[in-house]
Amino acid sequence: MPGLTIGDPLPNLDVDTTHGRINLHDYVANSFTIIFSHPGDFTPVCTTELGAMAAYADKFGQRGVKLLGLSCDDVQSHKEWIKDIEAFNKGKKVTYPIAADPNREIIKQLNMVDPDEKDPGGQIIPSRALHIVGPDKKVKLSFLYPASTGRNMDEVVRVLDSLIKASKHKIATPVNWKEGDAVVISPTVSNDEAQKMFPDGFQTADLPSKKDYMRFTHV
Ligand code: BEZ
């Protein structure tokens, strides 16, 4: 995937949103931030996704995570669409800003352009891209889904929990990990270091190779 991807610095753009003009780096400040794009206003899958983001806003807030939606239509259109999103989502308020990008410059810079879809006027539109940006303003994780497939917000929460944990400890999270499960100790940590870093200890899997790289602990 060419363009912005994990490890890259977030372009420091000024964007118009439903909460006024926002500078991306100022908005991220010291928080993990989810920037997620949608093919267009007043479309069905996007309405469910933005509604789910509103419903999950408390979960993200508890984790100190900020949200920023993006659809290319203008701010006035977003404000009208938010009424539908809230009504469809049983009145749950959309408390996060939604950016506009009528000139399609932001979606190019954020690597959100859908290679296949166009709007009725033939203009490029975003796919369902989602970047999680860290407090260091670098992209930590990216999803890229086509217009036909809505995202899974439980997965967004799950990967955030993994990213936040891995930013605090020298660990990684294994397949299908969820909060509360054991994590693995990073291969760069020696056993001696691990004993000091993880005071509750760790368990090493007994493998045919007799290599001790599968070390599990809780943090
Ligand atoms: C939707 O949100 O439902 C949608 C938007 C663009 C293309 C296909 C579906």
Side-chain angles (χ1 to χ4, degrees):
M1 171 167 93
L4 189 72
T5 189
I6 61 171
D8 290 344
L10 176 71
N12 193 15
L13 308 173
D14 292 322
V15 298
D16 287 320
T17 81
T18 49
H19 293 193
R21 201 155 172 82
I22 280 178
N23 172 271
L24 291 184
H25 283 203
D26 288 350
Y27 186 68
V28 171
N30 295 316
S31 303
F32 280 90
T33 302
I34 306 173
I35 305 177
F36 51 104
S37 64
H38 299 272
D41 292 6
F42 302 101
T43 54
V45 178
C46 300
T47 301
T48 63
E49 288 191 317
L50 284 154
M53 274 296 186
Y56 277 60
D58 289 348
K59 288 184 200 279
F60 294 123
Q62 284 157 11
R63 291 161 172 80
V65 172
K66 292 181 186 168
L67 304 175
L68 176 62
L70 187 152
S71 169
C72 288
D73 302 278
D74 62 31
V75 167
Q76 190 51 39
S77 167
H78 292 350
K79 287 183 175 170
E80 292 299 319
W81 183 33
I82 284 172
K83 294 177 196 163
D84 284 2
I85 296 166
E86 291 177 347
F88 183 75
N89 197 39
K90 301 185 177 63
K92 191 84 189 165
K93 293 286 177 202
V94 173
T95 52
Y96 54 84
I98 305 175
D101 186 21
N103 298 326
R104 274 65 176 168
E105 276 311 316
I106 302 166
I107 60 168
K108 287 183 203 156
Q109 294 212 41
L110 299 188
N111 191 21
M112 291 172 156
V113 176
D114 191 311
D116 296 328
E117 302 278 344
K118 299 275 185 296
D119 73 6
Q123 292 204 84
I124 57 167
I125 56 171
S127 54
R128 299 185 195 286
L130 183 151
H131 298 303
I132 299 180
V133 178
D136 62 358
K137 322 288 185 294
K138 289 188 178 164
V139 177
K140 303 296 174 191
L141 181 145
S142 290
F143 292 156
L144 190 55
Y145 282 35
S148 56
T149 306
R151 286 158 284 196
N152 182 322
M153 296 309 157
D154 287 328
E155 175 63 0
V156 178
V157 173
R158 191 188 76 87
V159 298
L160 268 167
D161 284 340
S162 169
L163 288 171
I164 292 169
K165 225 173 254 296
S167 73
K168 294 180 180 160
H169 306 280
K170 290 200 169 177
I171 59 97
T173 58
V175 62
N176 293 340
W177 175 88
K178 57 187 184 319
E179 187 60 56
D181 289 352
V183 300
V184 295
I185 298 172
S186 168
T188 60
V189 176
S190 70
N191 281 336
D192 283 349
E193 287 168 332
Q195 264 149 14
K196 292 182 204 125
M197 267 179 208
F198 305 101
D200 293 342
F202 58 92
Q203 293 75 47
T204 306
D206 185 15
L207 299 170
S209 68
K210 298 297 170 201
K211 295 183 192 291
D212 58 0
Y213 58 97
M214 296 292 284
R215 298 171 297 174
F216 294 88
T217 190
H218 283 88
V219 289

